[in-house]
Amino acid sequence: THEEYVASGASEKGLDIVLFDYALNMTEYEVDIEKKPEAANTTIKSVENTANGEMTVTINESKGATGYVVLRATKANGKYTKVGDVKEPVFVDKKATTMKTTYFYKVQPYADGKYRGEMMHVEAELSPEVSCKALTPAQVTGLKVAKNNKTIYNLTWKQVTKADGYEVYKSVDGEEFELYQTLGNKLSTKTEALEKGKTYTFKVRGFVKNGQEKVYGEFSQEKSVTVK
């Protein structure tokens, strides 16, 4: 005869059932029963100012999570507002646009799934907040190189919001760029007398001081002149 019995156990995660079929050489079969969705609490691994106006929030993965809600504030323990909802544990906030402002972030993992024929949405706790200051300046634009006299040239560019200063780089006849001048909050400079017959290429980037370090923005477009 075909003998079979069921051993079962219930838990908060759902019902697990194991079948023992003695007619088939005591073969054991495990039947997967759907479990309640759940998302473990987690923390933020890092927040980095990866570009001007951009913060990258990296999240420690939450077991069971199907997504993460990202919230942001501009004060510690301040009013948080939702700025993102992502499926992967990385969020890029492209609206952190106020220079020299500290942005605070929290995340909340969640799990969506079907349980006993109904869709469920389960939320974990909010993570502790992690902050980062927006210090990466915008790219320098509007660089112009104009002759001052026969071998001296004027360089001008547009102001970068909140920049503390600028660095001018120079290349001669296509060689590697080298730092040429470091300036304060000025929007122009001039070269020394340049050598005739050579081609000079210039580019400029802004910086913001952060203690003893500098945080740099992107270089401007390059501008070249050939001295005749």
Side-chain angles (χ1 to χ4, degrees), residues 209-214:
K209 293 178 181 178
N210 183 28
Q212 299 299 313
E213 299 180 350
K214 293 177 181 177

Side-chain angles (χ1 to χ4, degrees), residues 106-184:
K106 292 182 180 182
V107 298
Q108 185 173 42
Y110 64 84
D112 290 328
K114 194 172 184 179
Y115 179 65
R116 294 184 178 176
E118 295 184 2
M119 288 301 299
M120 292 185 65
H121 176 82
V122 180
E123 297 176 345
E125 295 179 5
L126 283 170
S127 72
E129 66 183 12
V130 176
S131 65
C132 184
K133 195 171 185 179
L135 293 173
T136 304
Q139 181 182 22
V140 171
T141 60
L143 176 62
K144 296 180 180 179
V145 181
K147 184 177 288 188
N148 180 295
N149 62 31
K150 289 184 178 180
T151 59
I152 296 176
Y153 286 78
N154 294 329
L155 279 66
T156 60
W157 55 90
K158 293 182 179 180
Q159 184 176 15
V160 171
T161 302
K162 301 289 188 179
D164 294 319
Y166 300 89
E167 290 184 348
V168 180
Y169 278 71
K170 179 183 72 174
S171 168
V172 183
D173 287 340
E175 294 182 359
E176 186 176 350
F177 276 95
E178 294 182 351
L179 178 61
Y180 181 51
Q181 295 177 4
T182 299
L183 308 168

